[in-house]
Amino acid sequence: STVFLDVRGEQVQYEVLDTIEFDSTRKRMTTILRRPAPHNDVILFSKGADNVMIERLAKLPARNDPGHMFGSRDELSFERSMRERTFTQIDEFANAGLRTLMLCYRHLTESEWVRWSARYHAALASVDDDREERIEQIAAEMECDLRIAGATAIEDKLQERVPDTIAALRAAGMRIWVLTGDKMETAINIGFAANLLTKEMELWTINSTSGVEKVLSRFRLIARIMREMAVTDDSGKAVPAASTGKVGLASADAQALGSVSYKIGRARKFLHIGQTIREHRQRRHQRHAADLSTENGDELSPDEVQQSIEYLRRHSSLTGEGIATDAADDPGAAHRPLNALVIDGAALSMVMGDAECRAQLLIIAPLFKSVVCCRASPLQKAEVVRLIKDGLNLVTLAIGDGANDVSMIQTADIGVAISGEEGMQASMASDYTVGRFHFLQNLLLVHGLYDYLRMSEMILSFFYKNVIWAMVPFWFSIYCSFSANVFYDLSYIQLYNVVFTVAPVVILGCVDKPFNYKTAMTYVAVYADGINNRYFQWWRYVLYIIDGIYQSVVIFFTFYLFTYTSDVQNSNGRPWGRSDFSTGPTVAVVVAASLCVGFNSWQWNWLMIAAIGLSIAICMLYIAISSAVRYYSLEGVATSVMSTVQFWFGVAIAVVVALLPRYTVHSWQKMNNPRDLDIIREIKVLHRPWYGQVFVEPEAQATLPRADP
């Protein structure tokens, strides 16, 4: 095939000889072309990620080495200058948050290409088990000894409201990890732009350029520091400590710490033992440029590192959640450090390949507020998700927009795709698809919260209403020697779950919500109730079961005392039979179960009121209609039961006594031990102002002092 390129305003025809396709593992693409006259030669062009392409560049010889592959000294000098300029430009592009791509080339002889092409096409046509390995090996033989042609950079702009969305998700208690194929510098800049990384964070960085041994040793150092700086909360989980104390460091560890920690590596510029802070501020601007001129700085001694840690802690004014504190008002308040880990794909492979480091990663993972894995392949993305999902037994959500995110999306518990310019592969593999990233805030913090509260209460209510229904015949069995006598009429049994009590539970599970959409988007911290599973714990299930048993006792024995202690007769003088007696508890159970679902709901809208009223009305209407049908099992029940005062008093007393403990507990809990949801609902109902984390009464709002002229 041929392609036409515009070269300095002229259309030039190139013949495409071979193409080595791009894939997410190789991270590069190569094309072999035949150039037209006057060149008439074969040339290889390759483009890919800079970390991959640099490994395939031709080795530069020493300046006094005459035997090298470059034709002349001028050609060698040109290649040196090209590499220096290109590497500088790549760093500048990455620091500006741009996505970089390196372009390389290599001249080939005709015979070299012919021999290689025959082997390459033979490997493509192979059906052996090692086909992929052969293709990769043959492609790597050609993609070597490359020379730099240049570098490109494109701006991959963040979508609108991405920083606000990430800030809201973090405020809701989520841990956010970014798995990207970008360069480390690009990923860090995007992290700061997206509010994933903040200046208050301690940024721990690990890259693979230092070799396997140093990568593993530095990771073990970070893991040890994180463990020694952590404490254990009431649940037994490790959390960042408010006061770190002394961290014992050997000389080699102290020297390596400046390479992996941004703040500690540069904290010496703030340390002037025996000098005042005023003297330090006067000289700070003179030393700032010199300190930033080197990447790792001078080697640090253990004492200097410990002084740096203590300085950073003393001069930090933020808590672990980024809330300002005043040491003067709270002398015991200390800094709870925010930590973020940035690691590249190659270093991540080294850490994951070592069993000890892999186990340590699981231990310290919850201590990082944010984690950025750059230059990660799709397989690594899926492996990281699986590590956190299985190793920490956490619920994971993965969101991506391209084909390289499919494995990660499918590995996570919940997969979300962003439909856009990169095809539909991610959308086809995901559970949910959104058009913009900021829709994730609506999906999780609004609908996710609503669905969690609805499902938690609906499932527990289903268990409760079946317990109260099933336990009433149990108490009846005590008085019939556990014989085969059926307490309820068969029609009651068939209609209880599908007609009599289904409407309130359906309304509870479909439309119930504690507050409106705007409030849920404002008070995002209440989403932590779902993360901590506060509304669907085993003890709530036990309480619902106990409450159902209690209510069944109240309902059955209320009618038992009204009927079996005295003869109850209808207007015709006929005493109550089994069908007559069971009708009273049936009506009381339907009323109590429907009202109890209303107690459990967050709001009484017209749908809930209609559902409760309709459930009770349908039950009463069915009894009245079936009572008028001749030769039916319930014939005459309505006239026999509803014409007696015992029935109506029994239903009223049984329902009130049965629901009184639940109503009392709910009232006490909301008045004396309110949850976050209860407080926010009260604020919205009473229209009280709410400023961040501090509640201010309208008449007690503080006014700022007037500034001195």
Side-chain angles (χ1 to χ4, degrees), residues 10 70 135 176 205 233 246-247 267 287-288 302 304 371 378 390 443 453 534 650 708-709:
E10 296 182 3
F70 297 92
I135 294 175
I176 301 178
T205 59
D233 61 6
K246 294 288 182 179
V247 180
R287 302 184 56 190
H288 182 72
E304 290 176 319
V371 176
D390 299 336
L443 179 66
L453 296 175
R534 293 177 180 172
D708 295 332

Side-chain angles (χ1 to χ4, degrees), residues 379-634:
L379 184 60
Q380 285 180 322
K381 295 179 181 180
E383 189 176 359
V384 171
V385 173
R386 187 178 295 106
L387 175 69
I388 301 302
K389 173 184 173 182
D390 299 336
L392 297 178
N393 195 24
L394 298 176
V395 178
T396 56
L397 181 145
I399 181 169
D401 61 352
N404 57 345
D405 299 319
V406 169
S407 58
M408 173 183 67
I409 290 174
Q410 292 180 332
T411 304
D413 295 296
I414 304 168
V416 181
I418 302 176
S419 59
E421 302 295 335
E422 299 192 29
M424 299 295 294
Q425 292 91 338
S427 299
M428 296 172 62
S430 64
D431 301 310
Y432 300 92
T433 300
V434 295
R436 291 289 184 270
F437 181 82
H438 68 84
F439 292 164
L440 191 64
Q441 184 175 358
N442 302 29
L443 179 66
L444 295 178
L445 304 186
V446 179
H447 301 291
L449 176 65
Y450 289 170
D451 290 346
Y452 169 75
L453 296 175
R454 292 167 182 168
M455 295 302 296
S456 300
E457 205 61 57
M458 184 189 70
I459 293 173
L460 294 175
S461 297
F462 255 110
F463 276 106
Y464 150 78
K465 74 184 187 71
N466 281 279
V467 168
I468 184 178
W469 176 255
M471 289 302 296
V472 171
F474 175 79
W475 311 122
F476 173 76
S477 299
I478 297 176
Y479 296 93
C480 65
S481 302
F482 294 96
S483 63
N485 289 335
V486 179
F487 179 69
Y488 294 125
D489 186 80
L490 294 181
S491 61
Y492 293 158
I493 298 176
Q494 294 173 342
L495 297 177
Y496 177 76
N497 273 316
V498 297
V499 176
F500 292 162
T501 59
V502 67
V505 178
V506 170
I507 298 300
L508 174 67
C510 292
V511 300
D512 189 41
K513 55 185 180 181
F515 31 66
N516 58 22
Y517 169 86
K518 184 178 179 181
T519 305
M521 292 287 283
T522 302
Y523 304 103
V524 297
V526 296
Y527 186 82
D529 290 346
I531 297 177
N532 299 323
N533 196 21
R534 293 177 180 172
Y535 292 92
F536 196 61
Q537 296 182 347
W538 65 269
W539 59 267
R540 295 197 77 215
Y541 170 79
V542 173
L543 290 179
Y544 272 66
I545 299 301
I546 295 175
D547 189 34
I549 295 174
Y550 161 77
Q551 294 188 25
S552 68
V553 170
V554 171
I555 291 174
F556 175 80
F557 284 99
T558 297
F559 283 92
Y560 175 79
L561 294 175
F562 278 8
T563 57
Y564 276 72
T565 56
S566 61
D567 292 334
V568 180
Q569 299 178 352
N570 58 16
S571 58
N572 296 327
R574 182 171 65 87
W576 278 10
R578 180 186 56 80
S579 297
D580 300 324
F581 174 72
S582 65
T583 300
T586 299
V587 174
V589 168
V590 171
V591 174
S594 301
L595 291 177
C596 189
V597 172
F599 284 164
N600 297 337
S601 64
W602 290 102
Q603 61 177 358
W604 276 61
N605 51 26
W606 69 270
L607 286 174
M608 180 60 72
I609 296 174
I612 294 175
L614 190 64
S615 297
I616 300 174
I618 289 177
C619 179
M620 302 293 290
L621 186 62
Y622 171 77
I623 295 174
I625 295 176
S626 60
S627 177
V629 179
R630 296 190 63 183
Y631 307 114
Y632 191 58
S633 59
L634 296 178

Side-chain angles (χ1 to χ4, degrees), residues 198-350:
T198 62
K199 63 180 181 179
E200 292 82 16
M201 287 184 175
E202 173 56 81
L203 204 62
W204 304 93
T205 59
I206 303 178
N207 55 57
S208 59
T209 57
S210 55
V212 179
E213 294 299 328
K214 286 191 176 181
V215 166
L216 296 181
S217 63
R218 290 175 180 179
F219 178 80
R220 293 189 183 99
L221 173 61
I222 294 175
R224 182 163 65 89
I225 293 177
M226 294 296 295
R227 291 197 308 269
E228 293 181 4
M229 293 173 61
V231 295
T232 303
D233 61 6
D234 296 336
S235 62
K237 297 180 180 179
V239 296
S243 180
T244 61
K246 294 288 182 179
V247 180
L249 295 173
S251 179
D253 294 339
Q255 296 172 6
L257 198 57
S259 301
V260 297
S261 171
Y262 178 84
K263 286 187 176 181
I264 295 178
R266 289 164 173 78
R268 281 194 303 168
K269 66 185 179 182
F270 298 106
L271 297 173
H272 295 268
I273 308 301
Q275 298 180 359
T276 63
I277 297 298
R278 184 182 301 274
E279 293 174 338
H280 155 67
R281 290 177 177 174
Q282 293 175 352
R283 302 179 184 180
R284 176 181 176 183
H285 68 279
Q286 300 175 358
R287 302 184 56 190
H288 182 72
D291 287 337
L292 295 180
S293 61
T294 58
E295 178 65 22
N296 297 331
D298 298 331
E299 295 181 349
L300 298 172
S301 66
D303 291 340
E304 290 176 319
V305 171
Q306 187 63 53
Q307 293 169 5
S308 302
I309 296 175
E310 295 296 332
Y311 176 85
L312 292 172
R313 188 191 308 122
R314 289 196 309 269
H315 291 79
S316 297
S317 58
L318 297 175
T319 65
E321 296 300 328
I323 303 171
T325 58
D326 191 350
D329 297 337
D330 185 6
H335 176 58
R336 187 184 295 274
L338 293 173
N339 294 279
L341 175 65
V342 181
I343 184 171
D344 65 7
L348 181 62
S349 298
M350 300 172 190

Side-chain angles (χ1 to χ4, degrees), residues 27 47-51 53 86-103 150-156 181-186 375:
K27 298 182 182 179
K47 64 176 181 179
D50 58 283
N51 64 322
M53 302 303 295
T86 303
F87 294 161
T88 302
Q89 291 171 355
I90 289 176
D91 290 339
E92 292 175 354
F93 294 153
N95 290 330
L98 305 179
R99 288 194 167 184
T100 59
L101 197 67
M102 182 179 291
L103 308 177
T152 62
I154 60 173
E155 182 181 10
D156 191 7
D182 292 331
K183 189 176 173 65
M184 179 175 288
E185 291 79 2
T186 304
R375 291 301 189 202

